[in-house]
Amino acid sequence: MEFKKLRTNAFNQWVIIHLRYLVGFAFFPSGLVKVMGERFTRVSTSEPIGYFFEALYQSGFYWNFLGLAQVFAGILLMTQRFATLGALMFLAILTNIWVITLSLSFHGTWIITSLMMIAIFILLIWDKHKILPLLSYNKSYLVKQYPDPDRLWIISGSIYAICFISLQLLGPANASLFTRWFSLFLGVVILVTFFASNILAYRKRKLLLNN
């Protein structure tokens, strides 16, 4: 009963939707760098961290695959509709990264990855009614129905994903006049999408309460 009350709260739904956006976006920069076949860090190979990343970079297609998995999981999260699958993918990816940051003694990075692990577990707990049937062996399981994100958030997430990926692919903002202006345009689209989606969601909720 407590979970149902928590799951149907409008503010909690808003927090989860934007937490999915945030976690999904977090891996776009590092993921796209790998997809494009570029180095993720410039740390000297004389240090364990630099040596480790250089070895991954030299692995070739595996380096690209790691980036592709990160980007794909981020897109799934930001679409909202496939967020549960995206969260499960991120659990596998992020657990690996988290253990690496602990093992190689990243300065402060382990704190960030630990917070991201907490965020992933929150997202998984939020969708536990979809995950628990997968863990039930040879028994029927009734999946409870809870409100899914409105189409507004699905469209917004798709716009965010396209804009964030485009900004990363454009490269440095000082590369050319076109790049600067197009990057500015994408930034404006992101801001407009954020404010417009939240204002529309607020008005829609207010209308529902008034009725």
Side-chain angles (χ1 to χ4, degrees):
M1 196 66 183
E2 287 298 324
F3 180 73
K4 182 179 180 180
K5 191 175 180 181
L6 183 75
R7 194 65 169 64
T8 53
N9 181 274
F11 178 74
N12 293 340
Q13 292 173 7
W14 182 88
V15 171
I16 292 297
I17 286 170
H18 286 81
L19 185 60
R20 287 169 177 166
Y21 290 153
L22 183 62
V23 175
F25 161 73
F27 273 119
F28 279 162
S30 60
L32 288 169
V33 164
K34 297 182 183 73
V35 170
M36 293 185 290
E38 299 176 2
R39 284 180 171 83
F40 176 66
T41 180
R42 298 294 178 182
V43 179
S44 173
T45 53
S46 61
E47 298 183 29
I49 299 172
Y51 185 81
F52 176 80
F53 277 111
E54 182 62 22
L56 283 178
Y57 173 74
Q58 294 297 337
S59 66
F61 176 70
Y62 180 65
W63 181 250
N64 305 126
F65 171 76
L66 290 175
L68 188 62
Q70 290 178 322
V71 173
F72 184 63
I75 292 174
L76 289 176
L77 268 180
M78 297 187 80
T79 61
Q80 301 296 329
R81 184 170 182 176
F82 304 104
T84 307
L85 179 58
L88 288 171
M89 283 188 65
F90 259 122
L91 177 64
I93 296 169
L94 192 57
T95 300
N96 184 45
I97 295 173
W98 180 61
V99 173
I100 289 171
T101 57
L102 292 175
S103 301
L104 296 180
S105 301
F106 278 65
H107 298 296
T109 308
W110 68 271
I111 299 176
I112 299 173
T113 55
S114 297
L115 292 174
M116 294 183 72
M117 284 292 292
I118 294 172
I120 287 297
F121 279 118
I122 291 173
L123 294 180
L124 290 174
I125 292 172
W126 180 263
D127 286 334
K128 72 172 187 176
H129 61 290
K130 299 179 183 178
I131 299 171
L132 288 178
L134 300 175
L135 306 176
S136 301
Y137 177 72
N138 201 24
K139 63 171 67 173
S140 60
Y141 197 101
L142 182 63
V143 179
K144 295 182 179 180
Q145 295 293 324
Y146 292 106
D148 285 324
D150 189 80
R151 187 182 298 272
L152 171 69
W153 302 116
I154 296 174
I155 295 172
S156 298
S158 301
I159 293 173
Y160 290 144
I162 292 171
C163 289
F164 286 141
I165 291 173
S166 299
L167 282 170
Q168 184 67 26
L169 294 177
L170 282 173
N174 58 355
S176 67
L177 182 61
F178 170 77
T179 301
R180 288 198 298 269
W181 279 106
F182 194 61
S183 297
L184 180 61
F185 169 74
L186 292 175
V188 171
V189 170
I190 291 171
L191 289 175
V192 170
T193 302
F194 176 78
F195 286 109
S197 60
N198 281 280
I199 291 171
L200 288 173
Y202 177 76
R203 286 182 176 177
K204 185 176 181 180
R205 178 176 177 272
K206 190 174 182 180
L207 288 173
L208 289 173
L209 290 175
N210 289 337
N211 291 334

